[in-house]
Every structure is written in C-alpha cells, then in structure tokens.
Amino acid sequence: MVSAGYDALVETRELRYFVAVAEELHFGRAAQRLAMAQPPLSRAIQQLERRLGVVLLHRTARAVALTEAGSVLLREARTALDAVEAAERRTRRAADDQPGVVLAAKAGASRELLSKLLDAYAAEPGAVAVEVMLCGPGEPESLLRTGRADVALLHRPYDTTAGFDTEDLHTEQQVVVLPKGHPLADRAHLSLVEVNAQTDLPLPRWPGRDGGHPDGPGPQVRDHTQLLQLIALGLACAVVPESLRDQLRDDHAIVPVPDAPAVTTVIAWPPHSRSKAVADLVRTATRL
Amino acid sequence: MVSAGYDALVETRELRYFVAVAEELHFGRAAQRLAMAQPPLSRAIQQLERRLGVVLLHRTARAVALTEAGSVLLREARTALDAVEAAERRTRRAADDQPGVVLAAKAGASRELLSKLLDAYAAEPGAVAVEVMLCGPGEPESLLRTGRADVALLHRPYDTTAGFDTEDLHTEQQVVVLPKGHPLADRAHLSLVEVNAQTDLPLPRWPGRDGGHPDGPGPQVRDHTQLLQLIALGLACAVVPESLRDQLRDDHAIVPVPDAPAVTTVIAWPPHSRSKAVADLVRTATRL
DNA sequence: ACGACCAATACCCGTGCGGTATCGCCGCTC
DNA sequence: GAGCGGCGATACCGCACGGGTATTGGTCGT
C-alpha cells in the first residue's frame, strides 16, 4: 500500500451545502442561495449527518441552530473549501504561464512600504508584473487562502497569519485619530481605556468575514477613506498604526496610544509556494 | 450577497482520483488502488482537465507524466484533501464528547520532554485523558493536518511547521552516533562534511511521505530502534539531536557536530483549535 | 381555531458515474 | 517486420443518486 489513501471522503458539494445552511440557519434561504430547491437540500444535510454519524443542526419547526459539532464543521468546512478553491485557482494559474504575481493588501495601509516594495522589486532582475489588489480589512487573508492572491501584506495582530509563511517587515506603535480641536487632541498620550471610556466619539464597526457589520453603536465603515472622513466630521475616532499619519488631512489630530498593541506589517504567502516571483518579492521586502 | 459563495468547486472525488493517478503515474494501478475500473477513471481525469481548462498529464501510450500544472495540483490537492479529512475527523471528535486529546510524537524523540509534559499536564486541574500516538518521522505532521491528532511534538527543521500554530519548547545541538570503537569515535567534534565524506558508514534512508524509501546507498530504516541497532552493528551512522543520548547502549559512541543545524522541539496544533485541553497542554509545555 | 411558516416526506425523472467489451497505439521481441 | 503485449481511450449500457414538484406535519402567532 502506497501513501495516504483518502477513502470515501465527504464531497465538496455536501460541505458547500452545509456551509450555506449553517450561515443562513434557514433551509429555504440557503437553498435559494445555492440555486436549488429546499427538499433536496434538506435531504443532503440529513445524508451528511448520517454519513458522519453526527447531528449538525438542531431543528425546531421555528428555528435552526448549530450543534457543537456543527459549529466545528462550519469552521473546518470553510477552510477545507478554501483549500479546494485554492487548488483549483493555483492549478489554473500554473497553466497559463504568463507569469505575474497577485499581491493583496489593505487599501490605505502600509502605503509607503508598499510603494517602496513595488519599486524595489521592479528593479530586480527577472521581475514579473505585479498586480496589486487593494481591498478591505480582513480580505487579503481570505484572498491568500483561496488562491486569488499569491502574496499579501498583513498586519498582526489584526490579521491572523495562521497557515501562512511570513516574514516580519516593520513594527510600529498605534495612535488614536481624533477630529482637530477635540478636547483630548492635545494630550501627549492616551491609554486604551481612556479612548474606550470617552463616549462622544464611538469606534467604527468594520465588516466581518460574512460581509455583515456587527451590531452596536458607531458608524459602519468599509475603508480608511470613509473612516478618515467620519473622523473629520467629528462622528468617530479610531486607533490606527502611526504610519497612517501620511494620509491625514489637516482637520485630523493624532495622539499616541502607548499601551495599544504594536502593529507588525508582515509579508505572507501560502506554504509550499514554489513561485520564484513570490520568493523574489519576499526577499526584496525583507531587505527594504 | 452574503459571504464567500463557493460555487461549482471541484469535487473531492475528482481530487482523490487525480492524486491516485499522479502518484502512480499509471491509470491501471491507480484504478486498482481506488477499487474501480480503469475506463471511468480515465474519463474522470479527462473531465477534470476539461473543467479546469488545463492539461494535467502528458500521456504517451508508454508512460504518464505530470505537467507543470499537474504537479501544482498534486500538491494543492493533497493539502485540500487533508483539510477535508480533518473537517470530517474533527467534527466526529466534537460530537462524541468524551473529551480526550490525541498527541502525536515521533517514537524515541524528545522522550524525556514528553514524559515530563504528560506528568505536568496530568497534574493540571481539568486535565483530560491524553492518548499518545508514537509514530515514524514525518508522520506527526500529517496526523495533525488530517485531524487524526489534536496536538503534536515536531522538530524543526526536520518537520515543516507551516500551517500550524506552534510554541518553541527546547533547542539542542546535534551529534553523530557511531559504533563504539569507530576510528572517528574519539574525536572531540566532527563537521557535517566529515560525516558525509566517510564512506564506510552510510547514512540510513528514511521513508518518504508516500511510504516508499528513496533510492541510494544506506540501509532502509523506519524508527530509532532499528537505527540504533544498525549503528551498533557497524552498518550505519546518523546525525541526531543530542537528547537521544539517553537511549544509547554502551556499544554506541557519540561525537558532537557543531555545524549541524540545531534542532528545536516545538509543540504544534491546528490553527483555530478551540479545545481547552489543547490550550492547557500547550501552556503546560511552555512552562516546563 | 385558523393561517403562516418551515422543515420533512413522498414520488418522479434525468443525469452521470461506474462497469464490461473493445479499439488503437506504441514498443519490444524473435 | 510481423506479432504480441501493455496501456490508455472509446463505445455502450444500467443503475443509483441528485434534483425537482407536490404535499404533509408540526409549531408558532393572532
């Protein structure tokens, strides 16, 4: 007998179905999202439960809820589906061998570092085209995991780098951005508790990985431009890495927050990446 | 639109088929391994290629070979299948809630550290049963990736820790183990080149992840017991972490190899693990 | 008590996966 | 160079299973 021997695994179709139901907690809506009818979906989930020998969902006629095992599967199924998607994408990418690297980074973050990196890499011998995907917070991680991007700039501890190879590039302190003239704006420094304690300027709410915003006070925000504008309008404040200073307008004020966790910009790539371009990019980045 | 939306992904069945063919490089044997006939397998691979729009295999009537894209898919498909398998196993584990943790470690490695860890953890409040899987080199990594184990002791740089969360536990130098009375045995230290240069004692060959041994000189070896016995018989030598010293018999001699890479024992666990037991084990380990 | 809502069941149909038989191609052998 | 053997592809068939429609059953609101 040779090698692992994956026998009789769950099919990706079943995992997709389960994720849809687990996210919607409603068979009808999930079926709609999957572009199919509700009964076959119900059956598919039952069959999945029978195969696993595990109850994944508690159904009362009025509501559907995840069991303990169900929420484990939701998490695991997402990463498995991401891996399958990545396999597909990376294979396709490897085939049409017009080389070219996709780099993902949060719009507005590490702007200077990014431009220096691109310049330095372009000067390397054997450099290929770099397509830069600027995206919202949390997204680069997912792009990397699904193979939509080859390499990404992430920010610990905001992004989780679990599952990737990484190199640290730069560490910086955080500051709070306030509207100019705010009572706290001329303090030499602030603590996190002070920032959280003041109630006139709420912290904004960023979208979660499901695209929805968490509940709570504070304005919904999708990118740094929106954020800075809201702050300038006196509707919010935010704790951000100090390098964002370059993008502030003169109606902003910043105050260091020494006890906020330091933010480390890292360059991350999928393990086992064999791409020369990614390796060159990483090497260039570490030398900056 | 909510969330990711994985539409029309490749099925795990197709990935399993492809991995089998890619590993065997022979449709007949692959079909046999998959317990199916050869024609449907051929068709399935063709269909996969059509779906991806990518040629994965070069077939001449005499031989099958992987294309560039094919070898990318082989690698990616393995990790994707591992993720699916892990999803399945972890879900099952979460269901039958007799708690208990599976810890994987290479047989014979870090023996003292392992027993101290088990003792210390057992003394923790809320400790659950720990099932220890002792296995061959390279295996713990795969056990962890497929969800067969919850936590593992790995050894950098031999094991790759990519994709796991880890904590370093212990770093040690390596030594070469020789049969007692060997001409080099009374040297104060040796360099790697000297070890490789001497030809009377070959280095053993460990099995790869496919279960087969690489070609070359030197005896095939599956665990440390075999290895030590071969060395005592004067048929091999080996460079190993110095903590293996405890397990040597008096017909062995050891000589430090200062320029061999230091070996770090790490405790590793899958990212997103929510298990209290794993967290406790890790915390206990780092405090040793 | 009735209606709305929602998951489950019953039943049917078509696709697609797997099996057997066979072909076509290439390389080795004598 | 004719024949044979090995191997992947093709042809064709049957059935199991995935998906659709219609309906039921149970549980909340009002």
Side-chain angles (χ1 to χ4, degrees):
Chain A
M1 221 265 282
V2 184
S3 179
Y6 307 97
D7 33 22
L9 290 184
V10 174
E11 292 298 323
T12 63
R13 183 177 44 79
E14 309 184 79
L15 294 180
R16 275 169 41 219
Y17 288 2
F18 175 73
V19 169
V21 174
E23 284 181 354
E24 300 285 349
L25 291 178
H26 189 292
F27 281 79
R29 280 195 299 276
Q32 197 172 345
R33 207 173 100 186
L34 294 166
M36 65 186 291
Q38 169 259 320
L41 178 58
S42 286
R43 264 188 321 169
I45 301 292
Q46 291 177 48
Q47 179 177 326
L48 177 62
E49 289 180 314
R50 249 181 290 118
R51 281 171 111 154
L52 294 175
V54 166
V55 178
L56 301 170
L57 299 167
H58 280 136
R59 305 98 149 136
T60 76
R62 220 50 182 176
V64 174
L66 284 171
T67 64
E68 192 61 35
S71 67
V72 169
L73 182 59
L74 175 56
R75 188 159 25 89
E76 296 288 333
R78 277 185 182 135
T79 83
L81 290 174
D82 283 347
V84 172
E85 189 177 339
E88 221 174 305
R89 291 205 131 80
R90 299 212 177 102
T91 304
R92 286 216 187 84
R93 186 92 47 88
D96 61 57
D97 53 4
Q98 50 159 19
V101 175
V102 178
L103 185 154
K106 274 176 289 197
S110 303
R111 186 175 285 195
E112 190 191 342
L113 191 147
L114 178 56
S115 74
K116 277 201 291 191
L117 169 58
L118 293 177
D119 288 349
Y121 174 71
E124 282 292 289
V128 300
V130 177
E131 180 183 340
V132 178
M133 295 185 68
L134 293 179
C135 41
E139 279 193 77
E141 203 196 316
S142 145
L143 293 174
L144 205 54
R145 229 170 332 96
T146 58
R148 285 182 170 87
D150 301 308
V151 58
L153 294 181
L154 302 181
H155 297 85
R156 269 185 299 147
Y158 291 126
D159 302 313
T160 149
T161 57
F164 303 129
D165 285 351
T166 59
E167 286 285 346
D168 290 4
L169 298 183
H170 177 65
T171 298
E172 56 190 324
Q173 294 303 315
Q174 298 201 72
V175 298
V176 58
V177 186
L178 301 164
K180 184 157 209 156
H182 187 272
L184 295 174
D186 46 6
R187 291 278 297 273
H189 51 79
L190 286 166
S191 69
L192 269 183
V193 286
E194 287 176 299
V195 171
N196 288 321
Q198 59 79 34
T199 50
D200 48 335
L201 291 181
L203 292 167
R205 286 175 292 141
W206 294 96
R209 80 164 274 164
D210 60 351
H213 289 264
D215 294 334
Q220 298 185 2
V221 131
R222 294 187 39 80
D223 58 46
H224 282 122
T225 314
Q226 287 182 16
L227 174 64
L228 294 179
Q229 194 157 357
L230 281 169
I231 295 173
L233 292 170
L235 297 175
C237 70
V239 177
V240 300
E242 61 180 348
S243 67
L244 218 70
R245 173 194 314 254
D246 309 335
Q247 297 166 52
L248 300 184
R249 307 187 320 202
D250 49 9
D251 44 7
H252 291 129
I254 63 175
V255 179
V257 184
D259 67 339
V263 169
T264 304
T265 304
V266 306
I267 186 166
W269 64 99
H272 322 116
S273 167
R274 296 272 171 89
S275 156
K276 177 182 179 304
V278 168
D280 288 348
L281 213 40
V282 171
R283 189 163 29 76
T284 307
T286 57
R287 283 187 192 154
L288 282 181
Chain B
M1 221 265 281
V2 183
S3 181
Y6 308 98
D7 33 23
L9 289 184
V10 174
E11 292 298 324
T12 63
R13 181 178 45 79
E14 310 183 79
L15 294 180
R16 273 169 43 218
Y17 289 1
F18 175 73
V19 169
V21 174
E23 284 180 355
E24 299 285 350
L25 292 178
H26 188 294
F27 281 78
R29 279 194 299 276
Q32 198 173 344
R33 207 172 100 186
L34 294 167
M36 66 185 291
Q38 169 259 321
L41 179 57
S42 286
R43 264 187 321 168
I45 302 293
Q46 291 175 48
Q47 178 178 325
L48 178 61
E49 288 181 313
R50 248 181 291 118
R51 276 204 210 187
L52 294 174
V54 166
V55 178
L56 301 170
L57 298 166
H58 281 136
R59 303 98 149 139
T60 75
R62 220 48 183 177
V64 174
L66 283 171
T67 62
E68 191 60 34
S71 66
V72 169
L73 183 58
L74 175 56
R75 189 159 24 88
E76 296 288 333
R78 277 186 182 135
T79 82
L81 289 175
D82 283 348
V84 173
E85 189 175 338
E88 220 173 307
R89 290 206 133 81
R90 299 213 178 102
T91 304
R92 286 215 188 84
R93 188 89 49 85
D96 61 59
D97 53 4
Q98 50 157 19
V101 175
V102 178
L103 185 153
K106 275 176 288 198
S110 305
R111 187 174 285 195
E112 192 191 341
L113 189 147
L114 177 56
S115 74
K116 277 201 291 190
L117 170 59
L118 292 177
D119 287 349
Y121 174 71
E124 279 298 285
V128 300
V130 177
E131 181 183 340
V132 179
M133 295 185 67
L134 293 177
C135 41
E139 278 191 78
E141 202 196 318
S142 142
L143 293 175
L144 204 53
R145 232 173 326 97
T146 59
R148 285 181 171 87
D150 301 308
V151 58
L153 295 181
L154 302 181
H155 297 85
R156 271 185 297 145
Y158 292 126
D159 302 313
T160 149
T161 56
F164 302 129
D165 285 352
T166 60
E167 286 285 346
D168 291 4
L169 298 182
H170 177 64
T171 298
E172 57 190 324
Q173 294 303 314
Q174 298 202 71
V175 298
V176 59
V177 186
L178 300 164
K180 183 156 210 157
H182 186 274
L184 294 175
D186 46 7
R187 291 276 298 273
H189 50 79
L190 286 166
S191 69
L192 268 184
V193 287
E194 288 176 298
V195 172
N196 288 321
Q198 59 79 33
T199 50
D200 49 334
L201 290 181
L203 292 168
R205 285 174 293 140
W206 294 95
R209 83 161 272 163
D210 60 350
H213 287 264
D215 295 333
Q220 298 186 0
V221 131
R222 294 188 41 80
D223 57 46
H224 283 123
T225 314
Q226 287 183 17
L227 174 64
L228 294 179
Q229 193 157 359
L230 282 169
I231 295 173
L233 292 170
L235 296 174
C237 69
V239 177
V240 301
E242 61 180 347
S243 68
L244 218 70
R245 172 195 316 254
D246 309 335
Q247 299 166 51
L248 300 183
R249 308 188 318 206
D250 48 9
D251 44 6
H252 291 129
I254 63 174
V255 180
V257 185
D259 67 339
V263 170
T264 303
T265 303
V266 306
I267 186 165
W269 64 98
H272 320 116
S273 168
R274 297 270 172 91
S275 155
K276 176 183 179 305
V278 168
D280 287 348
L281 257 172
V282 170
R283 190 163 27 78
T284 307
T286 57
R287 281 187 192 154
L288 283 181

